[in-house]
Amino acid sequence: FLSLVAEFCCGFFVVLILGNFWFLAVLYLLWLYCDWETPCTGGRRSQWVRSWTVWKYFREYFPIHLIKTSELNPSHNYLLGFHPHGVLVAGAFGNFCTGPSFENLFPGLTPYLHIMPIWFGCPFFREYIMSAGMVSASKESVSYVLNNEGGGHASIIVIGGAEESLNAHPGSLTLNILKRKGFIKMALKHGAHLVPVFSFGENELFKQVANPKGSWLRNVQEKLQKIMGFALPLFHARGVFQYSFGLIPYRQPIHTVVGSPIPVKRNLNPTTEEIEQLHALYLQKLRKLFEEHKRNYGIPEHKSLIFE
């Protein structure tokens, strides 16, 4: 959905340039130049946009639920690690960028969903995603959010990134996380408490063309991902009036479970050993969160998370 909106915004900008409204395009480019750093300085959220009725229907389509397992004290800042990426990242968008669910469950906390910086270069679209509470995933942006001395800020980072979307097959429980330790370092530097988040049902929304590691398709996808910065999973689901083929996601429930916080003391210069220790603890807590809740959401007893 976001990709379609981005394409529409880019098309609209081209129409302005080629049409009789080129001067509006020039004015917008000047605005873009002056406003370029805003996605890295907390964005520009709009409660009106976040409360649009269309998002209520979006959440109810699957439906999407946010599950609280522990209190999060608003006097602290938090870094929430979201898993898995899936194809759509519907749980992250639906729970942290639309509606009052997060604010109602965790009063006093303001969520910021960090996404790839490339999206903020898209004319007009950048204004829309910032208004929904999305900000850049750059180090500067994460630091800005977590630097709030009074607490009350929650950075949400999809840890597996675009690369993990290539594993988004129904039933898949593979997470790209063993080499991803930058978020651990950021949490230590800012003393942000770490919170594992697992979104059950995220990988069930689409069927993806088989792309096992080592296959020619996977090799091409991985090379394109390194060049462009985002992955291109070949997926399909249902149509508007039929269920056999289309790009509309399947109606599968999504339950995004927010785990208990891992207290983190501020350490401006963490050692490699300290980063490794906290990373190992995070993996342990993430696995525990999954194991405690998997029975509630249809995961067979013998299945467990795979870290790679």
Side-chain angles (χ1 to χ4, degrees):
F1 179 79
L2 289 178
S3 297
L4 291 176
V5 176
E7 291 174 10
F8 173 81
C9 290
C10 289
F12 179 68
F13 185 70
V14 171
V15 169
L16 288 181
I17 294 176
L18 300 179
N20 295 325
F21 302 98
W22 59 268
F23 62 94
L24 293 178
V26 172
L27 288 175
Y28 182 78
L29 287 175
L30 289 173
W31 160 257
L32 192 62
Y33 175 79
C34 296
D35 194 58
W36 190 254
E37 295 299 323
T38 301
C40 294
T41 54
R44 188 170 44 246
R45 69 180 56 230
S46 165
Q47 197 57 42
W48 175 67
V49 173
R50 290 168 60 85
S51 301
W52 281 351
T53 303
V54 66
W55 302 133
K56 176 177 178 290
Y57 294 123
F58 172 80
R59 294 190 303 273
E60 291 178 351
Y61 171 80
F62 297 97
I64 296 174
H65 304 280
L66 186 64
I67 313 299
K68 174 182 178 180
T69 64
S70 178
E71 295 291 339
L72 298 182
N73 189 333
S75 64
H76 299 296
N77 292 317
Y78 297 88
L79 196 160
L80 279 64
F82 184 91
H83 312 270
H85 184 288
V87 171
L88 191 62
V89 205
F93 177 74
N95 285 312
F96 304 121
C97 295
T98 73
S101 296
F102 185 84
E103 287 85 351
N104 289 343
L105 289 176
F106 304 101
L109 283 182
T110 302
Y112 295 83
L113 179 61
H114 296 271
I115 64 174
M116 291 186 297
I118 190 174
W119 289 111
F120 296 98
C122 180
F124 300 114
F125 181 67
R126 69 188 296 275
E127 319 304 334
Y128 160 68
I129 55 179
M130 278 197 289
S131 66
M134 289 180 251
V135 292
S136 173
S138 66
K139 291 181 181 179
E140 296 78 11
S141 177
V142 177
S143 292
Y144 184 91
V145 173
L146 297 181
N147 257 339
N148 187 38
E149 293 184 2
H153 283 189
S155 280
I156 298 97
I157 301 177
V158 184
I159 305 299
E163 183 182 356
E164 193 172 84
S165 67
L166 300 179
N167 290 328
H169 297 272
S172 173
L173 295 172
T174 301
L175 303 181
N176 290 52
I177 192 172
L178 291 181
K179 295 181 180 179
R180 296 180 181 264
K181 299 171 185 176
F183 73 104
I184 298 291
K185 190 173 183 179
M186 293 298 290
L188 281 166
K189 281 190 170 185
H190 297 283
H193 295 195
L194 281 167
V195 182
V197 178
F198 196 88
S199 195
F200 292 90
E202 199 75 44
N203 284 339
E204 318 306 316
L205 307 184
F206 296 93
K207 291 180 180 177
Q208 191 173 164
V209 175
N211 60 342
K213 287 205 167 184
S215 65
W216 69 269
L217 175 57
R218 185 60 169 259
N219 291 336
V220 170
Q221 288 175 320
E222 289 176 347
K223 287 180 181 178
L224 289 175
Q225 191 265 326
K226 290 179 180 178
I227 294 172
M228 299 183 298
F230 57 90
L232 292 173
L234 298 180
F235 60 89
H236 66 88
R238 53 161 291 187
V240 178
F241 301 111
Q242 44 78 28
Y243 287 83
S244 57
F245 188 82
L247 295 179
I248 297 176
Y250 293 115
R251 297 192 70 175
Q252 296 289 339
I254 299 172
H255 294 87
T256 303
V257 183
V258 180
S260 301
I262 303 169
V264 177
K265 291 184 178 180
R266 191 174 187 183
N267 184 347
L268 294 177
N269 296 294
T271 64
T272 301
E273 183 180 358
E274 289 169 330
I275 293 172
E276 293 286 350
Q277 287 178 350
L278 185 55
H279 186 260
L281 177 60
Y282 179 86
L283 294 183
Q284 178 186 332
K285 295 295 185 180
L286 175 59
R287 188 180 295 280
K288 181 181 178 184
L289 177 71
F290 174 81
E291 292 295 331
E292 287 178 348
H293 294 274
K294 66 180 183 180
R295 300 170 193 81
N296 299 333
Y297 306 116
I299 307 294
E301 185 65 32
H302 67 279
K303 289 216 169 188
S304 296
L305 293 179
I306 300 172
F307 297 146
E308 63 175 30

